[in-house]
Amino acid sequence: MSVDQRIEQLRSTLSLEVGRLTSYDDVEALRVRFLGKKGLLAELMVFLKESGPEQRPLMGEKINSFKQEVTGHLDRLSSSWKAKERSSLLEKEAVDPTLPGRQSYLGRAHPIQSMLQTVLDILISMGFSIQLGPDVDTDYYNFEGLNFSPDHPARDMQDTFYLNQGFLLRTHTSNTQVHVLKSHAPPVRVVAPGRCFRNEDISSRSHVFFHQVEGFYVDHKVSFADLLGTMDYFLKRLLGSETKTRFRPSYFPFVEPGLEVDVMCRACHEKGCRLCKQTGWLEILGAGMIHPSVLLAAKIDPEAYTGYAWGLGIERLTLLEHGIPDIRMLTENDLRFLSQFP
Ligand code: FA5
């Protein structure tokens, strides 16, 4: 084959390949294929080597001019593809400067978190220190160590989410009492905030997921009067002295005697509403003197030590504080609702 025939062949290959180009990168790949060190044009040098001295200058000229032709052609293609790609990128990323700017919102604490912090601040100032117990725990810490025997009817008071391998989601923060009393010798004066879970019907005042703050104090000669005085002082600091509270006797297997505290419903101002079940009052905490069996299970001598404990619901306090009529509003994450809390 003569050099002219080979050049003609390469010219038609090039025009075929140009018809298949889809991008700037394709052009550059074609450039390497034709003009690269081991490219198709480099192969033409074989014709030069094999030619006699009188044909060589003419052949050199032909090869050179074909090389320039290919280079020029590829250069034009490459700049036109580059321009095409740039303009489609601009189109894709087009910004409309007439659009109004996006408003940015400052984050703020969730009302439950704010209430939790307020409660803890007061209790810390009263000499309590924070301990955390596990959300996932065993039957022993949630029930048995708190004087609930396996078939104790009071277990039904707290419907439980059971997990596998003997674990459960704690139904109250009282599990922390058992953990702490087992591992710390008295005196202990602890508050234990945390999440609780109960497999019960959701209503305007009860949810399957809520927060409690447990508090307990064990020492020589801790009395029921100490419990009442502590609760009274704490609630006055939290709610103000004008907010009415009432203490009622109640039953929990892990205290004796036990009580519950109700607060006047601020959602309806005692008129009666869905939140307070038309009673004008909302129960916010259970409390009592720690049962001797609980102390014994933690290897604390109930003859030498006594203690009190309480468990306070944070959601109910938050509802009362802001007059929110339904606990579900606290977990719906509706920004129109949440942005009302400074
Ligand atoms: C208890 O959970 C006891 N562990 C409290 C306790 C601790 C008593 C130490 C004695 C000594 P109770 O189930 O009543 O008790 O719950 C205490 C508070 O948690 C309630 O007053 C309420 O404020 C809150 N609470 C309970 N269940 C729910 C629920 N489903 N949704 C929202 N808050 C709840």
Side-chain angles (χ1 to χ4, degrees), residues 146 148 157-158 171-175 177 196-203 205-216 248 250-255 257-262 282-290 308-317 319 327:
L146 287 166
F148 288 87
M157 286 160 63
Q158 301 182 0
T171 55
H172 51 178
T173 43
S174 301
N175 67 332
Q177 273 188 56
C196 306
F197 309 84
R198 290 189 196 175
N199 190 1
E200 59 183 50
D201 289 341
I202 297 176
S203 68
R205 58 208 261 141
S206 296
H207 213 291
V208 291
F209 161 72
F210 56 97
H211 296 74
Q212 284 185 343
V213 171
E214 191 85 1
F216 48 98
R248 287 183 285 108
S250 186
Y251 171 74
F252 301 94
F254 38 99
V255 290
L259 61 92
E260 281 178 322
V261 175
D262 302 332
L282 192 61
E283 174 216 310
I284 56 156
L285 68 88
M289 296 304 291
I290 298 178
Y308 61 70
W310 77 82
L312 168 72
I314 293 297
E315 275 74 3
R316 297 249 177 107
L317 276 180
L319 301 180
I327 197 169

